């Protein structure tokens, strides 16, 4: 019974919208690690290995979303950062 419940949970990964298209979100440590850009994997490993039992869910959620590229959101964040830098002006 527990095996069937666990299988059902892992067979249906969470989904999110990226650019209006529904995509799977990796939901295990190996799946998240594989989906990340290789340059981010060391940071992921460090965060996962440092997370305690009270933190692991938050760490997993953070990296699950990091593993799903969203160029539209990245462009918005970059524009906001540029706008903020312009607003602050030269230091």
């Amino acid at each position: 019974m527990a095996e069937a419940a666990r299988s059902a949970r892992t067979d249906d990964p969470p989904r999110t919208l990226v650019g209006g298209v529904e995509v799977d979100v990796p939901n295990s440590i190996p799946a998240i690690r594989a989906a990340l850009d290789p340059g981010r994997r060391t940071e992921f490993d460090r965060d996962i290995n440092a997370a305690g039992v009270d933190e692991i869910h938050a760490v997993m959620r953070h990296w699950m979303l990091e593993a799903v590229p969203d160029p539209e959101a990245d462009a918005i964040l970059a524009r906001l950062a540029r706008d903020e830098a312009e607003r602050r002006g030269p230091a």
Side-chain angles (χ1 to χ4, degrees), residues 10 14 25-36 43-68:
T10 58
V25 177
N27 65 345
S28 70
I29 290 171
I32 294 168
R33 191 173 197 290
L36 288 170
E43 184 180 356
F44 170 74
D45 291 342
R46 185 191 69 233
D47 287 354
I48 288 296
N49 291 327
V53 77
D54 294 333
E55 306 164 314
I56 193 68
H57 288 104
V59 171
M60 290 285 293
R61 281 190 300 272
H62 167 80
W63 283 101
M64 285 168 70
L65 296 176
E66 285 280 329
V68 178

Side-chain angles (χ1 to χ4, degrees), residues 2-54:
E3 183 66 30
R6 184 177 46 205
S7 178
R9 278 196 316 265
T10 58
D11 289 346
D12 297 326
R15 300 181 66 73
T16 191
L17 290 175
V18 175
V21 176
E22 195 173 45
V23 297
D24 290 342
V25 177
N27 65 345
S28 70
I29 290 171
I32 294 168
R33 191 173 197 290
L36 288 170
D37 179 88
R40 301 293 311 274
R41 291 177 183 162
T42 299
E43 184 180 356
F44 170 74
D45 291 342
R46 185 191 69 233
D47 287 354
I48 288 296
N49 291 327
V53 77
D54 294 333

